Amino acid sequence: NKPANERNYTFMIKLFEKAIQNNPPHEAYEGLWLVYFYLGEFNKSIQYIEEAAKLSPNHGHVYSLAGFSYYRLKYDLNYGGYDKAIELFNKALEINQGDIYALDGLGWVFYRQGKNNEAIEQFKKALELNTNYASSYAGLGSANHRLGNLDLAEQYTKKAIELEPYEADHHEHIGFIYLSKGNLEMANKEFRFAIDELGHAHSHAYRGLAQLNYLKENYKESIRYYNKALEIQPHFLDIHLGLSRAYIREKDYSKAEEILKKALTISDKNAQVYLMLSFVYYKLNELESADLMMSKALSLSNNPGSSIPSFSECMGNIGNNYTVENVARCIEASMSQNKY
């Protein structure tokens, strides 16, 4: 439990590889799984945990670890889907109903799928088995954050930090909670701590700093941090959406168009992307393209942009009449309040 910048991964790999040379135990393969998982090399981590499964096919824990690799392949790299992760977590639970890692893993998958109550159920099951399991406290914090239970989210995430003070993800999570509570000073402190003190090169802290600067109307700084986040996690849709908004606030509509087109290569089924493109084309006076993007947004959702309360309220006030002009008016009204 050390900061990332104090972990000697190269030395760890050599030790585990040496253990494998003679009569390899499955624990050595698990160790290599752990190192490559921390390094974000998820395909390589899968390779080693599958070797562990061959040596110990009735050891449910190895399937839980494999499940986490497939989960991160989807979440971090947008590769594949969550089905394989769910399959492996369930296989682990078939072998051992008390596999805390599998329960926690299912919780995180359900959370990413937007099934927050199902996620909370799995995290609580994990904590019934181990009341000091930090990841499940973090999961409860994240799920309650999404449900708008901000005080409860803060409470659970602080517990995760208490148990794992060097885990940068927990500091990033609580940073986003502070953003939602309007405590920009504490949010900045947590994001900077994850980057500067823990040496964590994950995109979330940079994305958090980008959102923080957006709220402070420092759009150039917001763009800088979003671009740092993209360097680390180029396939993360939310980063593209946030970056496009920052370019829009800078009135750089051509750059916003470029970013949103890249977002479509990640997901061409996201109504929000088409809604934003419609707005951008409207501002560029390309009205035919704006109409086309609006049609695509409405083909995917009867109420695109519904996740943004201020936008939904504005649209509701004009009868949810999704014309290009109405949408542009409501997006601009929401952005003027820094709520889009």
Side-chain angles (χ1 to χ4, degrees):
N1 190 20
K2 290 184 176 181
N5 56 3
E6 292 182 17
R7 296 172 184 161
N8 191 335
Y9 293 116
T10 302
F11 182 64
M12 293 164 68
I13 289 170
K14 287 180 180 178
L15 287 178
F16 288 128
E17 286 179 340
K18 188 174 182 179
I20 285 171
Q21 289 174 2
N22 300 306
N23 192 25
H26 77 264
E27 289 89 353
Y29 284 112
E30 285 188 24
L32 285 168
W33 168 87
L34 179 65
V35 173
Y36 285 110
F37 186 86
Y38 270 123
L39 290 171
E41 297 184 34
F42 303 119
N43 279 314
K44 209 160 190 176
S45 73
I46 289 169
Q47 172 190 331
Y48 284 112
I49 204 62
E50 286 180 346
E51 290 298 321
K54 290 176 186 176
L55 291 171
S56 301
N58 297 318
H59 191 68
H61 182 56
V62 296
Y63 301 108
S64 296
L65 300 184
F68 270 107
S69 289
Y70 280 103
Y71 160 74
R72 292 293 294 272
L73 265 181
K74 168 59 180 172
Y75 177 60
D76 287 49
L77 305 177
N78 199 41
Y79 181 84
Y82 290 120
D83 290 348
K84 185 65 175 179
I86 293 172
E87 175 191 330
L88 288 162
F89 289 136
N90 283 326
K91 185 169 185 177
L93 289 169
E94 286 174 12
I95 296 171
N96 176 12
Q97 292 183 353
D99 190 322
I100 190 170
Y101 300 101
L103 292 168
D104 182 66
L106 283 174
W108 282 108
V109 169
F110 290 148
Y111 169 73
R112 299 301 174 195
Q113 293 178 325
K115 302 174 182 177
N116 298 299
N117 290 317
E118 291 92 330
I120 287 171
E121 181 182 349
Q122 298 300 317
F123 292 133
K124 286 185 174 179
K125 284 181 180 179
L127 288 170
E128 287 174 6
L129 298 170
N130 182 351
T131 56
N132 290 317
Y133 195 58
S135 178
S136 289
Y137 282 113
L140 285 173
S142 294
N144 277 285
H145 183 194
R146 186 177 284 169
L147 291 170
N149 304 323
L150 299 184
D151 289 339
L152 197 55
E154 182 180 351
Q155 175 187 325
Y156 281 128
T157 310
K158 281 183 174 177
K159 180 65 176 178
I161 292 172
E162 176 188 325
L163 294 167
E164 290 181 343
Y166 297 125
E167 181 51 65
D169 285 348
H170 304 334
H171 292 278
E172 291 167 346
H173 288 160
I174 204 164
F176 283 107
I177 292 167
Y178 286 134
L179 276 186
S180 295
K181 297 183 88 169
N183 190 339
L184 303 189
E185 182 179 351
M186 284 300 296
N188 182 68
K189 178 182 176 182
E190 294 294 340
F191 294 136
R192 295 264 35 129
F193 184 79
I195 295 168
D196 300 333
E197 301 299 324
L198 302 182
H200 195 53
H202 203 282
S203 69
H204 296 323
Y206 288 115
R207 182 165 60 92
L209 289 170
Q211 290 185 16
L212 185 151
N213 277 281
Y214 184 93
L215 291 171
K216 293 170 71 174
E217 300 185 15
N218 297 332
Y219 301 121
K220 284 185 170 59
E221 275 295 279
S222 178
I223 288 167
R224 184 170 75 86
Y225 282 120
Y226 272 128
N227 279 316
K228 278 183 172 288
L230 270 185
E231 288 173 11
I232 300 166
Q233 209 170 2
H235 303 290
F236 197 64
L237 186 65
D238 283 355
I239 299 173
H240 289 78
L241 284 168
L243 181 56
S244 70
R245 292 186 185 104
Y247 277 122
I248 286 169
R249 294 310 302 267
E250 283 288 288
K251 297 187 175 3
D252 191 341
Y253 301 116
S254 294
K255 195 66 179 177
E257 176 194 7
E258 176 188 327
I259 296 299
L260 289 165
K261 282 183 174 179
K262 287 180 182 177
L264 287 179
T265 67
I266 299 169
S267 173
D268 62 356
K269 304 295 183 186
N270 188 287
Q272 182 76 12
V273 177
Y274 290 109
L275 196 68
M276 293 292 290
L277 269 171
S278 177
F279 174 76
V280 166
Y281 284 129
Y282 176 78
K283 300 302 288 187
L284 290 170
N285 202 33
E286 298 180 23
L287 301 184
E288 187 174 333
S289 294
D291 282 330
L292 177 61
M293 293 300 105
M294 181 60 63
S295 296
K296 285 185 176 290
L298 291 171
S299 72
L300 292 167
S301 171
N302 290 329
N303 189 13
S306 59
S307 61
I308 302 160
S310 59
F311 173 80
S312 293
E313 181 182 354
C314 178
M315 289 302 300
N317 290 338
I318 52 178
N320 288 319
N321 183 13
Y322 277 85
T323 65
V324 170
E325 293 80 4
N326 286 343
V327 166
R329 187 191 317 165
C330 287
I331 287 179
E332 286 188 318
S334 297
M335 282 189 168
S336 70
Q337 306 168 43
N338 269 344
K339 292 182 178 179
Y340 196 104

